[in-house]
Amino acid sequence: MKRILFTAIAICFAFALQAQDGETASVTLRVGDATMTVDPAKGGKILSLKYQDREVVSQSRWPESFGSTFWTSPQKEWNWPPVAEFDKQAYQVKQNDANHLVIASPVSQRLGLSVGKDFSVDTADGAFVVTYSIKNEGKEARRVAPWEITRVPNGDGQIFFAAADSIWPAGLMDFETTDGIAWYKTDEAPQNRKVNADGQGWLAYTADGLLLVKRFPDLSPDQPAPGEAEVQIYVNRGKTYIELESQGAYTQLSPGETLQWTVRWYLKPVDKTLSRRALSTLVLRH
């Protein structure tokens, strides 16, 4: 009897380990020499984006300082910390085929919303395609906007985007604007800083001979959530990490209704000596 009981316990323990391993397994998608690694168990975050062996997203071990995550906007509805169901808790894997991963978050009881993430590739375009969804799981209509946050190291890099309007708050960060393109060279300061801008549907970052470009639907000035913006740049104090942020349209969802928002990621090698004009031409030409 003891042997049978021990065997049963051992089998259950083995199944528990197997389930745990399945929950924590990360998934890697590939486009050419670029790879994107997603971990459903860690808030469905993009934990790595590499070209060959060169990493472009932050690998910091501090909370809220690594990888790429997704939140709902406006932030004033949840303040801080990020909503755990969307940012930290395990996502359920709905589909996991070659170069295609679909995952879903738990429902946030506080917000009455759930989040979905669909990761795929477009080999012809050389892009990782990330489609986010937000579903109204409640009984009343809600307004919400999608929000992607990608953390990159604060090294010797540059961030640039088309600034269709002013960058605000003015003077908070040292931007140079040429031919409608705003440029920010990474720097160091003793305080956190964040700016907003009405962009034109793309945001780029270059460092260490790599160029990361993210493309998303362009918004008119009245489409972002209150107090938010299409393009946002956050710089953490010191020289730790920077957040490249983009948002979609502030949308009313009826009960059971879902919105979708797609961001296309491109990661390419570039000559480190390219001028700003040459870099912006590369982006605008694609």
Side-chain angles (χ1 to χ4, degrees):
M1 176 65 72
K2 290 183 179 179
R3 180 176 296 178
I4 294 173
L5 181 61
F6 177 79
T7 303
I9 292 172
I11 291 172
C12 290
F13 182 67
F15 273 116
L17 285 179
Q18 190 175 42
Q20 186 179 23
D21 289 344
E23 289 174 359
T24 58
S26 60
V27 177
T28 298
L29 294 79
R30 179 180 295 275
V31 177
D33 287 330
T35 56
M36 173 183 282
T37 300
V38 180
D39 195 335
K42 295 182 178 179
K45 288 185 179 69
I46 299 169
L47 295 185
S48 173
L49 182 68
K50 290 183 178 181
Y51 185 85
Q52 295 178 350
D53 62 348
R54 286 183 285 171
E55 179 66 66
V56 73
V57 302
S58 172
Q59 298 297 297
S60 169
R61 295 186 178 183
W62 291 101
E64 280 79 61
S65 66
F66 62 90
S68 182
T69 188
F70 179 83
W71 300 335
T72 57
S73 178
Q75 185 173 349
K76 67 180 182 181
E77 292 194 348
W78 48 266
N79 196 19
W80 196 259
V83 178
E85 291 89 347
F86 306 155
D87 187 70
K88 292 180 176 61
Q89 292 186 15
Y91 278 56
Q92 181 182 3
V93 176
K94 298 288 190 178
Q95 182 178 345
N96 183 10
D97 300 327
N99 269 344
H100 190 193
L101 173 68
V102 181
I103 58 178
S105 80
V107 177
S108 168
Q109 298 303 318
R110 176 182 173 186
L111 297 181
L113 302 169
S114 65
V115 165
K117 301 181 182 182
D118 185 320
F119 302 90
S120 62
V121 303
D122 184 339
T123 54
D125 193 34
F128 295 99
V129 183
V130 187
T131 297
Y132 300 100
S133 60
I134 302 174
K135 183 178 181 180
N136 183 355
E137 304 278 4
K139 297 180 180 180
E140 298 180 356
R142 291 212 52 168
R143 297 198 75 185
V144 65
W147 184 5
E148 184 184 71
I149 301 92
T150 303
R151 293 151 183 144
V152 297
N154 187 351
D156 187 19
Q158 294 186 95
I159 296 163
F160 60 107
F161 53 89
D165 205 343
S166 62
I167 297 172
W168 73 95
L172 189 62
M173 290 162 59
D174 187 16
F175 277 90
E176 296 180 17
T177 303
T178 305
D179 297 329
I181 306 296
W183 294 85
Y184 168 70
K185 191 177 188 312
T186 58
D187 62 6
E188 183 176 359
Q191 72 277 355
N192 306 331
R193 295 162 289 159
K194 183 171 182 175
V195 296
N196 308 270
D198 174 20
Q200 293 185 2
W202 62 271
L203 175 59
Y205 167 77
T206 182
D208 191 29
L210 294 178
L211 175 64
L212 168 63
V213 181
K214 300 206 290 181
R215 294 190 178 278
F216 37 84
D218 186 20
L219 302 184
S220 59
D222 62 334
Q223 284 186 295
E228 305 288 351
E230 178 184 329
V231 170
Q232 299 174 315
I233 305 297
Y234 169 86
V235 182
N236 200 53
R237 65 184 180 275
K239 202 169 179 67
T240 50
Y241 70 95
I242 293 173
E243 290 180 349
L244 311 177
E245 306 180 14
S246 52
Q247 296 198 21
Y250 192 45
T251 304
Q252 178 157 308
L253 297 178
S254 300
E257 192 173 9
T258 299
L259 69 79
Q260 290 189 326
W261 180 66
T262 298
V263 182
R264 300 177 71 88
W265 295 50
Y266 304 85
L267 183 62
K268 305 289 184 183
V270 291
D271 188 335
K272 293 181 181 181
T273 65
L274 284 181
S275 66
R276 287 180 169 181
R277 182 179 295 274
L279 285 168
S280 61
T281 299
L282 274 178
V283 175
L284 296 173
R285 189 174 60 196
H286 194 282

